[in-house]
């Protein structure tokens, strides 16, 4: 089991996100400000994120954040992170 997986298992979900994390796009679509969203993650997990890469969409309400090795899949429902998973290459 990787260190990232150990950290993920220790996280208590859901993680409530503050309203300022979301940007309004049009009248209804809200997208997260990734920098603000990442600040809600534990510091130990943030240390594994690749600061030189960009995040991408992984589907409806799911986002892929680049790790130094692999990716982190985060799923958001309402105003909370409800799933965090490591995706290895």
């Amino acid at each position: 089991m990787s260190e990232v997986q150990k950290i993920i298992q220790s996280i208590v979900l859901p993680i409530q996100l503050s309203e300022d994390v979301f940007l309004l796009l049009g009248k209804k679509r809200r997208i997260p400000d990734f920098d603000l969203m990442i600040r809600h993650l534990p510091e130990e997990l943030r240390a594994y994120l690749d600061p030189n890469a960009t995040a991408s969409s992984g589907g409806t309400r799911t986002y892929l954040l680049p790790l130094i090795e692999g990716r982190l899949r985060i799923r958001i429902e309402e105003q909370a992170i409800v799933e965090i998973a490591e995706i290895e290459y």
Side-chain angles (χ1 to χ4, degrees):
M1 177 181 301
S2 74
E3 286 300 314
V4 171
Q5 289 172 338
K6 289 177 186 175
I7 294 168
I8 290 170
Q9 286 184 347
S10 71
I11 297 172
V12 177
L13 295 173
I15 299 173
Q16 288 301 127
L17 300 172
S18 57
E19 183 63 33
D20 62 340
V21 168
F22 298 95
L23 306 170
L24 188 60
L25 182 63
K27 291 187 177 186
K28 293 183 180 179
R29 186 165 179 228
R30 294 166 20 118
I31 57 172
D33 177 319
F34 292 110
D35 186 50
L36 292 177
M37 181 177 69
I38 288 168
R39 292 181 193 174
H40 286 80
L41 297 174
E43 186 176 335
E44 301 84 14
L45 186 56
R46 291 193 315 250
Y48 286 92
L49 293 172
D50 184 348
N52 298 314
T54 58
S56 61
S57 176
T60 305
R61 298 183 310 261
T62 303
Y63 303 93
L64 302 174
L65 301 176
L67 295 170
I68 294 170
E69 291 184 24
R71 290 185 179 181
L72 194 64
R73 182 179 66 227
I74 294 180
R75 188 166 54 89
I76 297 175
E77 288 185 10
E78 300 298 320
Q79 267 187 242
I81 296 173
V82 296
E83 178 187 1
I84 301 174
E86 179 182 24
I87 301 172
E88 296 180 10
Y89 291 120

